[in-house]
Amino acid sequence: MTFVINGPVSEDKPICSAKGCRADAVWVLAWNNPKLHTPERRKTWLACEEHREHLSQFLGVRGFLKDVVPLAEWEPPSGESPSGESAADR
């Protein structure tokens, strides 16, 4: 599984999507914007322990957050791979 965060990132070391953070990601935040995405579509951000709550709150207040899963347990929906978009791409 390869993660993309403003360019390719080694599958051995996915990093947090929080702006400016280079820490190892340990969480996957699955989300979608209902105004733009079909209900089954899942976009993903990756989070380190420090930024998991902040990124979850950011998505949650907007009604975008669908799931938070440990990175080791994440299985992308069939046909999709995690995008790991940067929080700066909001």
Side-chain angles (χ1 to χ4, degrees):
M1 170 178 346
T2 299
F3 298 90
V4 178
I5 303 173
N6 294 329
V9 172
S10 166
E11 61 188 44
D12 295 329
K13 189 176 177 184
I15 60 169
C16 181
S17 297
K19 186 176 182 178
C21 184
R22 306 308 291 170
D24 292 348
V26 291
W27 295 97
V28 175
L29 285 67
W31 62 278
N32 83 3
N33 180 338
K35 292 183 181 178
L36 302 175
H37 307 120
T38 59
E40 65 278 352
R41 173 81 189 270
R42 291 295 180 264
K43 303 285 284 180
T44 56
W45 282 353
L46 305 179
C48 64
E49 283 294 342
E50 180 181 350
H51 291 111
R52 182 186 134 217
E53 186 63 30
H54 172 75
L55 293 174
S56 294
Q57 285 181 355
F58 179 89
L59 293 167
V61 201
R62 290 157 179 79
F64 295 175
L65 187 62
K66 302 302 178 193
D67 203 4
V68 178
V69 180
L71 179 60
E73 297 174 16
W74 174 250
E75 293 186 30
S78 60
E80 290 187 24
S81 63
S83 64
E85 293 175 342
S86 168
D89 293 336
R90 312 172 221 182

